[in-house]
């Protein structure tokens, strides 16, 4: 059985409300990497506030960490005692040069499409029951 498809989350959306074990994708600039602890921190700015996402890198090591470059991470949300949420990385890819505002717009458009599609299938399912 295949795992469920991951959902795009903006870095500022990753908080305690993301269910543990949920597959997710996010992005940010690599600001810190600790090989000994297998931990990286991605940052992103949104409305003049900086947000950080902790990433567990045990499953993707070794990788060529380049501080300051943009990365996309695919993994699962994990909640640890005394810490904020952590993304347990399955894939961590450098995407330096990517147009981040365009990515944000694409994520918004995808969400809008999925919402409209869900509303259409919900409407057709209720009309079939009548």
């Amino acid at each position: 059985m295949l795992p469920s498809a991951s959902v795009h989350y903006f870095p500022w959306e990753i908080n305690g409300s993301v269910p543990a074990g949920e597959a997710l994708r996010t992005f940010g600039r690599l600001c810190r990497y600790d090989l000994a602890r297998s931990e990286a921190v991605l940052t992103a700015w949104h409305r003049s506030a900086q947000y950080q996402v902790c990433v567990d890198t045990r499953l993707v090591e070794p990788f060529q960490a380049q501080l300051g470059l943009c990365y996309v991470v695919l993994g699962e949300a994990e909640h640890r005692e005394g810490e904020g949420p952590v993304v347990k990385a399955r894939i961590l890819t450098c995407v330096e040069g990517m147009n981040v505002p365009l990515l944000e717009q694409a994520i918004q458009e995808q969400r809008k499409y999925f919402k409209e599609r869900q509303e259409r299938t919900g409407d057709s399912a209720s009309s079939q029951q009548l």
Side-chain angles (χ1 to χ4, degrees), residues 11 26-31 41-44 69-73 95 98:
T26 194
F27 60 90
R29 295 215 170 264
L30 184 64
C31 75
V41 176
L42 302 178
T43 60
L69 298 186
C70 193
Y71 283 81
V72 168
V73 62
V95 291
M98 177 182 65

Side-chain angles (χ1 to χ4, degrees), residues 41-92:
V41 176
L42 302 178
T43 60
W45 287 90
H46 178 66
R47 295 187 179 155
S48 72
Q50 186 177 30
Y51 295 87
Q52 294 187 339
V53 177
C54 290
V55 180
D56 181 334
T57 60
R58 280 179 272 181
L59 299 176
V60 295
E61 289 174 344
F63 77 100
Q64 295 293 323
Q66 297 181 14
L67 297 179
L69 298 186
C70 193
Y71 283 81
V72 168
V73 62
L74 169 65
E76 290 86 32
E78 195 175 83
H79 299 285
R80 296 182 181 169
E81 291 290 323
E83 297 181 34
V86 175
V87 178
K88 191 171 184 177
R90 300 274 181 202
I91 298 172
L92 185 61

Side-chain angles (χ1 to χ4, degrees), residues 18-35:
V18 177
E22 179 170 342
L24 63 91
R25 284 183 245 183
T26 194
F27 60 90
R29 295 215 170 264
L30 184 64
C31 75
R32 190 169 60 238
Y33 175 56
D34 185 347
L35 178 60

